[in-house]
Amino acid sequence: MTALDPVDSIGRVVGSLPPIGLDELVAQASLLTRLDRKYMLPVADLPLVLGGLDEDTRVLDVDGAREFAYRSVYFDTPEMDGYLGAARHRRRRFKLRIRTYLDSGQHFFEVKTRGPRGTTVKQRIPYEGDVRRLGPGARAYADTVLAEAGINSGRLRFVPALTTYYRRTTLFLPVTGSRLTVDTDLTWALPDGTALRTPDRAIVETKAGRAGSGADRLLWSLKHRPCPVSKYGTGLAALRPDLPSNRWLPVLRRHFPTALDGSPA
């Protein structure tokens, strides 16, 4: 590894930031109702982005660790109602997933729906049991949350549709009370084992109010614009060419070129 290696540079920048503990981060920037802006960019650009953040930016630190491994198992109907809701910009759409924090072994069942004016509302409960299926408690919770969002899921059947793996660094931006996450080592896998990796790409996500954050303005100044990248939607579109994917075509063409021509990625 050379001094110019972007991964090494990212580690140096993150390692120099003051820490914030998990409890304090949740208290100051839980943002379960927020406006998400997502950016997909080359890993090589991350040192410049991270190095340009405000000096008071803090990094989530848990027992000295500042990067954490995640796994998310997404559930959808056999007819792909959740995927199609996003692909077709339906107002009432949803995502269901069991997220595992691999470093601690904690599992949470999460339901994401759309709130007023394009905001994302995420609700979750601790989960125990087989992550490849929804237990009765999780199913009942999903039905309740979806009903509150105007979605009748009583007759729907949910099955595993996609699993994602990645490593995440979380930053806290005190000026706007917002968060920024950086996901690297991105991998997507279908239930049949077909997988796709994008080791040279990262997904940066800002979670703030409608006005955005200093991180958004920095990204815009560096010619990075928000894009409709979704780990679930874009990953499925890349792995399953039988699904409608117009919403994600610009991202697929720029960041997943081999997924479009059938070549191994």
Side-chain angles (χ1 to χ4, degrees):
M1 181 177 293
T2 69
L4 297 178
D5 189 304
V7 175
D8 186 44
S9 299
I10 294 165
R12 289 176 183 273
V13 174
V14 171
S16 69
L17 295 174
I20 184 171
L22 182 59
D23 290 343
E24 185 180 358
L25 178 68
V26 170
Q28 297 201 39
S30 59
L31 293 171
L32 293 182
T33 301
R34 72 281 177 109
L35 185 65
D36 299 341
R37 294 178 178 87
K38 299 178 183 179
Y39 308 79
M40 196 162 192
L41 55 147
V43 169
D45 290 355
L46 284 178
L48 186 60
V49 172
L50 298 178
L53 295 173
D54 292 340
E55 292 184 358
D56 58 356
T57 298
R58 300 167 69 185
V59 60
L60 175 63
D61 185 300
V62 179
D63 296 329
R66 298 189 169 197
E67 183 184 60
F68 307 93
Y70 284 58
R71 178 187 65 212
S72 293
V73 180
Y74 289 87
F75 293 81
D76 210 330
T77 66
E79 298 76 24
M80 306 302 294
D81 289 275
Y83 174 89
L84 294 175
R88 295 170 178 167
H89 296 273
R90 291 174 182 161
R91 170 65 182 84
R92 291 187 174 92
R93 57 186 188 260
F94 63 88
K95 287 180 186 173
L96 307 180
R97 70 187 179 201
I98 295 174
R99 168 170 285 180
T100 300
Y101 298 86
L102 293 172
D103 299 284
S104 66
Q106 290 182 300
H107 309 284
F108 290 89
F109 175 60
E110 302 182 342
V111 183
K112 297 178 77 172
T113 56
R114 302 293 285 181
R117 294 182 294 179
T119 57
T120 298
V121 180
K122 181 175 75 173
Q123 300 182 66
R124 71 179 192 172
I125 56 173
Y127 185 84
E128 294 183 2
D130 187 350
V131 299
R132 295 167 296 181
R133 61 181 297 274
L134 291 185
R139 175 60 203 243
Y141 182 76
D143 290 340
T144 298
V145 173
L146 292 176
E148 292 171 352
I151 300 169
N152 183 359
S153 60
R155 297 184 178 181
L156 300 181
R157 183 166 65 93
F158 296 116
V159 296
L162 184 75
T163 301
T164 63
Y165 301 86
Y166 53 95
R167 300 192 64 82
R168 169 168 289 184
T169 299
T170 299
L171 305 177
F172 173 58
L173 312 178
V175 172
T176 51
S178 57
R179 281 188 285 135
L180 178 147
T181 59
V182 180
D183 296 340
T184 57
D185 291 343
L186 299 156
T187 300
W188 292 263
L190 295 175
D192 67 4
T194 304
L196 170 68
R197 294 186 66 245
T198 56
D200 61 341
R201 290 293 188 270
I203 294 177
V204 174
E205 184 171 352
T206 63
K207 308 169 196 297
R210 297 194 66 83
S213 66
D216 290 293
R217 291 185 283 276
L218 172 63
L219 285 157
W220 301 338
S221 74
L222 296 173
K223 311 303 181 185
H224 297 297
R225 298 295 176 185
C227 60
V229 62
S230 154
K231 290 190 186 71
Y232 181 57
T234 312
L236 269 178
L239 284 166
R240 288 192 51 182
D242 60 303
L243 295 173
S245 59
N246 285 347
R247 181 180 182 187
W248 296 292
L249 278 180
V251 176
L252 292 171
R253 287 170 176 153
R254 184 172 183 181
H255 300 289
F256 298 79
T258 56
L260 294 177
D261 62 16
S263 305

